[in-house]
């Protein structure tokens, strides 16, 4: 199972997302898109399509800002619009996948 | 279920701390007490020792090895359901790929899709968490409505109807805050929202296949092979497995991340701790006193090598310490002293008839030192 497939399976069968698809861009990065069962953040107006970038914790644990910027522009080309945020899915060697938001710019902090 | 009964049940299910069977468990034999000042007890002990060793075969010698498969994707996979249960129950090894820890996906999915009307109503940890989150969500929705009305009130735009609503909301929220989260089985209404994705899983009204497998970390796999010898990974020898694990985390050298992690893992496992991955808290490992079902992890382990290039800076340390402090765990820095490259290579390349001895000699060259790290706020810790 590739990294993308691991995240795909996790989203579909653990987090119960629907319409999950893998997008290979230039054989370089894989993006996963899909719709979560409910909106992911309380500040969202409605449930929407989300973009996930799978990464491995063991093989390459550092990312640069330019890499992240490239994700946003690559998704903009795939989806005709630049996403407000992407979610990074970090895969550990025990199969745990932890997800973190990366926003395109500054956002208001949410109330806990 | 009362707490005591629950504890008893847990002790029963998780009675073995490692996936090995001892003669004393299997045959119910126990060695007599040895009194150093009483030679008769020595004699008695000796005859019993010979008896046990000749009359009873060692149970572990007849156990079949658990199959672990390993492909080019670098995942150590256990797919047989019985083996999955055994590795989880005896020492909490591995993690279900579609569960938080124990592989429960199959049971959860059967329940979710209503494929078996008489599934036991026991709740999995994942369901409890979801329920808590739902309650919290409801609370937050009420609260934001309250805040909206309060804002209106301050601006003086509030109508009579709204101000009575405001009072009501205040009361509901106050009562919601008081209620302890309670779990009752019937509070779970299981609606089956069948997704397009689920149709694939169902075959003649039953769950077609188990998509979940148990994934072992490299350090767990090597421990189960080298230290307790209960698994078979493809047809790898211990040394082949070692080299493969090292390759996953970089070049073969004394400070290879896998080697350092393994040294620390083995250290705590042999002291009786249950060691699990610490990725959720930004550290390398978590130490549990007995295991996840019994009690929360107490310690977060960060493995630090004596390789200068791999040191953490103060910002990273401070960030980790803050995260670990807020979840009420203790941060442990584990410094691993590693041997020189020459000594490491000379042992790895010399001929041993027993690979177990080779790795014993290799790991003896490492030294582990622990330091507790704690954030201290002077004003908050006065008596």
């Amino acid at each position: 199972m590739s990294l993308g497939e691991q995240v795909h399976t996790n989203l579909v069968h653990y987090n119960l997302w629907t319409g999950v698809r893998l997008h290979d861009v230039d054989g370089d990065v894989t993006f996963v898109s899909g719709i979560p069962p409910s909106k992911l953040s309380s500040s969202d107006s409605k449930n929407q399509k989300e973009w996930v970038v799978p990464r491995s914790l063991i093989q390459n644990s550092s990312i640069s800002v330019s890499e992240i910027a490239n994700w946003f522009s690559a998704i903009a080309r795939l989806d005709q619009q630049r996403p407000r945020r992407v979610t990074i899915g970090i895969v550990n060697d025990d199969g745990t996948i932890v997800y973190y938001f990366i926003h395109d710019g500054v956002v208001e902090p949410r109330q806990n | 279920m009362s707490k005591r009964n629950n504890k008893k049940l847990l002790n029963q299910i998780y009675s073995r701390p490692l996936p090995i069977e001892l003669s004393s468990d299997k045959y119910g034999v126990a060695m007599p007490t040895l009194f150093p000042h009483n030679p008769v007890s020595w004699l008695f002990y000796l005859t019993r020792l010979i008896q046990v060793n000749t009359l009873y075969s060692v149970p572990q010698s007849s156990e079949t090895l658990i199959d672990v498969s390993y492909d080019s994707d670098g995942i150590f996979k256990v797919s047989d359901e019985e083996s999955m249960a055994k590795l989880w129950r005896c020492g909490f090894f591995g993690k279900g790929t579609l569960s938080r820890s124990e592989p429960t996906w199959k049971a959860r999915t059967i329940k979710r899709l209503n494929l078996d009307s008489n599934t036991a109503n026991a709740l999995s940890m994942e369901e409890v968490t979801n329920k808590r989150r739902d309650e919290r969500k409801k609370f937050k929705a009420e609260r934001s409505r309250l805040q909206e009305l309060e804002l209106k009130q301050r601006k003086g735009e509030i109508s009579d109807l709204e101000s009575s609503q405001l009072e009501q909301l205040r009361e509901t929220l106050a009562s919601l805050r008081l209620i302890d989260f309670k779990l009752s089985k019937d509070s779970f209404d299981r609606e089956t929202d069948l997704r397009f994705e689920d149709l694939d899983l169902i075959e003649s009204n039953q769950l077609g296949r188990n998509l979940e497998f148990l994934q072992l970390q490299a350090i767990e796999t090597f421990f189960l092979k080298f230290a307790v010898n209960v698994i078979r990974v493809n047809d790898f020898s211990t040394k082949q497995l070692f080299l493969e694990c090292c390759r996953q985390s970089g070049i073969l050298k004394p400070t290879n991340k896998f080697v350092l992690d393994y040294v620390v893992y083995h250290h705590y496992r042999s002291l009786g701790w249950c060691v699990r991955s610490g990725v959720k808290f930004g550290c390398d490992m978590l130490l549990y006193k007995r295991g996840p079902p019994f009690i929360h992890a107490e310690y977060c382990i960060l493995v630090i090598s004596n390789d200068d290039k791999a040191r953490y800076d103060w910002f990273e340390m401070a960030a980790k310490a803050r995260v670990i402090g807020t979840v009420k765990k203790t941060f442990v820095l584990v410094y691993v002293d590693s041997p020189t490259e020459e000594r490491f290579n000379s042992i790895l390349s010399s001929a041993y008839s027993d690979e177990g001895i080779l790795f014993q000699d290799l790991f003896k060259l490492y030294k582990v030192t622990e330091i507790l790290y704690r954030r201290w706020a002077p004003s908050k810790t006065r008596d």
Side-chain angles (χ1 to χ4, degrees), chain B residues 172-185:
Chain B
T172 2
L173 279 177
S175 66
L176 275 179
R177 280 204 181 95
L178 286 177
I179 297 171
D180 249 356
F181 175 76
K182 265 199 213 89
L183 272 180
S184 61
K185 274 159 201 156

Side-chain angles (χ1 to χ4, degrees), chain B residues 245-279:
Chain B
C245 291
C246 287
R247 197 193 54 77
Q248 281 192 350
S249 46
I251 55 166
L252 185 65
K253 55 175 183 177
T255 53
N256 179 293
K257 182 80 178 128
F258 164 75
V259 184
L260 297 179
D261 282 356
Y262 183 74
V263 167
V264 175
Y265 183 86
H266 191 112
H267 174 68
Y268 288 112
R269 273 282 179 189
S270 57
L271 290 171
W273 290 94
C274 168
V275 190
R276 311 261 317 149
S277 164
V279 68

Side-chain angles (χ1 to χ4, degrees), chain A residues 1-3 5-6 8-21 35 37-40 42 56-59 90-98 100 110-112, chain B residues 71 73 75 77 94-100 105 108-109 112 126 136-137 140 143-144 147 195-198 201 211 213 215-220 248-249 276-280:
Chain A
M1 260 208 281
S2 73
L3 218 54
E5 284 163 339
Q6 282 184 65
H8 183 279
T9 316
N10 185 274
L11 289 174
V12 176
H13 295 289
Y14 180 68
N15 291 303
L16 305 178
W17 285 28
T18 45
V20 182
R21 280 184 56 202
I35 298 164
S38 60
K39 61 180 187 178
L40 293 186
S42 53
S56 160
L57 186 69
I58 302 286
Q59 274 139 29
I90 304 169
V91 183
N92 187 30
D93 75 333
D94 71 343
T96 308
I97 305 181
V98 285
Y100 290 92
R110 72 186 176 92
Q111 187 184 21
N112 201 22
Chain B
D71 292 321
D73 55 15
I75 298 174
K77 203 186 269 191
K95 178 188 159 296
T97 45
L98 294 173
S99 309
R100 208 164 60 188
W105 180 83
R108 264 166 30 228
T109 308
R112 182 172 65 86
E126 286 82 358
R136 184 81 185 139
K137 237 186 245 171
K140 282 184 181 175
R143 186 182 60 186
S144 68
Q147 285 168 341
R195 302 172 303 155
F196 179 68
E197 284 82 354
D198 295 326
L201 299 172
L211 286 182
F213 57 86
Q215 183 166 344
L216 293 169
Q217 287 184 273
I219 46 176
E220 290 177 317
Q248 281 192 350
S249 46
R276 311 261 317 149
S277 164
V279 68
K280 286 185 194 119

Side-chain angles (χ1 to χ4, degrees), chain B residues 181-246:
Chain B
F181 175 76
K182 265 199 213 89
L183 272 180
S184 61
K185 274 159 201 156
D186 40 77
S187 66
F188 283 75
D189 36 343
R190 296 217 172 79
E191 34 187 304
T192 17
D193 283 342
L194 210 58
R195 302 172 303 155
F196 179 68
E197 284 82 354
D198 295 326
L199 297 177
D200 245 10
L201 299 172
I202 304 172
E203 273 168 33
S204 56
N205 240 346
Q206 281 189 330
L207 191 65
R209 61 217 149 99
N210 192 354
L211 286 182
E212 183 167 55
F213 57 86
L214 190 81
Q215 183 166 344
L216 293 169
Q217 287 184 273
I219 46 176
E220 290 177 317
T221 313
F222 193 70
F223 181 80
L224 290 169
K225 171 84 181 163
F226 159 68
V228 284
N229 193 26
V230 293
I231 58 164
R232 175 173 45 214
V233 186
N234 295 352
D235 52 356
F236 287 171
S237 69
T238 308
K239 191 170 173 183
Q240 280 171 320
L241 180 64
F242 177 80
L243 295 175
E244 190 52 40
C245 291
C246 287

